[in-house]
Amino acid sequence: MSDFASDIHLGAHVDLSVLISGPCAAGNEALALMMHGQSRRSREPLVTMSCAAIPEAQQEAEFRGYVELAQGGTLLLEDVDQIGSALEMCLLDFFRRRPTAARYAARSIEPRVMATTTRALFECVVARNFPEDLYYRLNAICITVPVMSEVSDDIPLLVDQMLRALSALHRVAPPRVGRPAMAIMQSYDWPGNLRDLREVLESLVISRHGRVINPDHLPAAMRGWLHDKSVTSWLAVGARRLS
């Protein structure tokens, strides 16, 4: 198990705030869904607040509304580096009022906070563009989303966790991935990273719930990519033999 997979396991089973960083389209929200789906809060809502999409003047009021919606569950703050000073103070107040013991209680009414960013947030702290106190409160667990091809050995685990989370979200029985289909998933380069993985698996959860996923059920682009890769490898071997 890679450090990435270990971090996901820790983030799912310890009720602390999580900071998820990665480039745009890396699938940070998909990672939050996986951790929420494995946590003791999985029966409660996962509510997403897009900080970049809300005008700074409205962020504080919106935050209070989202906290109410996420009671007992998880509140995901997308693009947390885009928050204004009023929301910064509101978040600090939220963390200060939340007793440490509540993080380890059997059930906490207050939502757990996860946050995503596409920026190097600590550099923002050093540049005094983000409050240091808030950074460390959000950063109890820090996970950097890698390129999927770098963690291909973790694909079976990630697929299993994502299928369970998405099946719970849609309230259906999770499908099972057959070995040939899993081999394709491990070989595929996932250009959209975790977001790409989520989109493929969500479609399969809806169409194949409770059944086995075979290669024919995967998107044509995935099957075609594997074929093209095999042809390229065969041509490369042939070229070496002729040289």
Side-chain angles (χ1 to χ4, degrees):
M1 183 184 294
S2 69
D3 290 342
F4 177 56
S6 297
D7 288 342
I8 293 174
H9 180 81
L10 177 64
H13 294 93
V14 178
D15 203 33
L16 299 173
S17 57
V18 180
L19 180 62
I20 305 168
S21 62
C24 186
N28 297 346
E29 185 180 4
L31 179 55
L33 175 65
M34 283 200 308
M35 289 187 287
H36 174 77
Q38 297 177 71
S39 74
R40 62 178 177 81
R41 296 174 178 266
S42 60
R43 295 183 180 274
E44 304 298 336
L46 168 64
V47 178
T48 301
M49 175 178 171
S50 178
C51 300
I54 302 173
E56 184 174 336
Q58 300 174 22
Q59 286 180 353
E60 182 179 0
E62 291 283 336
F63 173 74
R64 297 185 188 281
Y66 278 106
V67 167
E68 289 297 320
L69 290 173
Q71 287 292 300
T74 301
L75 176 59
L76 175 64
L77 301 175
E78 278 193 327
D79 299 312
V80 73
D81 51 281
Q82 300 295 317
I83 65 175
S85 57
L87 183 51
E88 289 174 359
M89 297 304 297
C90 191
L91 267 169
L92 282 170
D93 183 60
F94 171 84
F95 282 116
R96 287 166 181 158
R97 286 187 296 104
R98 186 184 183 198
T100 302
R103 305 176 190 177
Y104 304 94
R107 186 177 186 278
S108 174
I109 296 177
E110 293 282 5
R112 178 195 191 184
V113 173
M114 296 186 191
T116 73
T117 179
T118 58
R119 302 173 64 186
L121 203 56
F122 184 71
E123 293 181 7
C124 296
V125 172
V126 173
R128 299 188 178 182
N129 293 324
F130 196 86
E132 183 177 10
D133 189 6
L134 180 56
Y135 170 77
Y136 284 111
R137 290 178 185 272
L138 291 170
N139 195 40
I141 300 171
C142 182
I143 301 178
T144 301
V145 181
V147 176
M148 294 287 283
S149 59
E150 296 176 355
V151 290
S152 58
D153 288 345
D154 290 330
I155 294 294
L157 178 62
L158 297 175
V159 167
D160 178 68
Q161 292 173 347
M162 184 70 76
L163 285 175
R164 290 177 184 277
L166 290 169
S167 297
L169 182 66
H170 292 283
R171 299 183 179 182
V172 297
R176 182 174 62 84
V177 182
R179 288 186 179 181
M182 184 62 75
I184 294 175
M185 290 182 179
Q186 283 191 270
S187 300
Y188 190 55
D189 64 351
W190 300 104
N193 228 40
L194 274 176
R195 181 174 299 176
D196 200 358
L197 178 68
R198 174 182 176 162
E199 290 174 353
V200 169
L201 294 183
E202 191 155 26
S203 176
L204 291 169
V205 162
I206 295 169
S207 64
R208 298 293 300 171
H209 56 86
R211 292 176 287 177
V212 177
I213 297 170
N214 295 316
D216 288 347
H217 303 129
L218 299 177
M222 291 182 66
R223 302 195 306 271
W225 180 89
L226 185 64
H227 175 266
D228 293 343
K229 183 180 179 183
S230 299
V231 170
T232 301
S233 299
W234 179 81
L235 290 173
V237 170
R240 284 198 298 271
R241 288 177 176 175
L242 292 172
S243 61

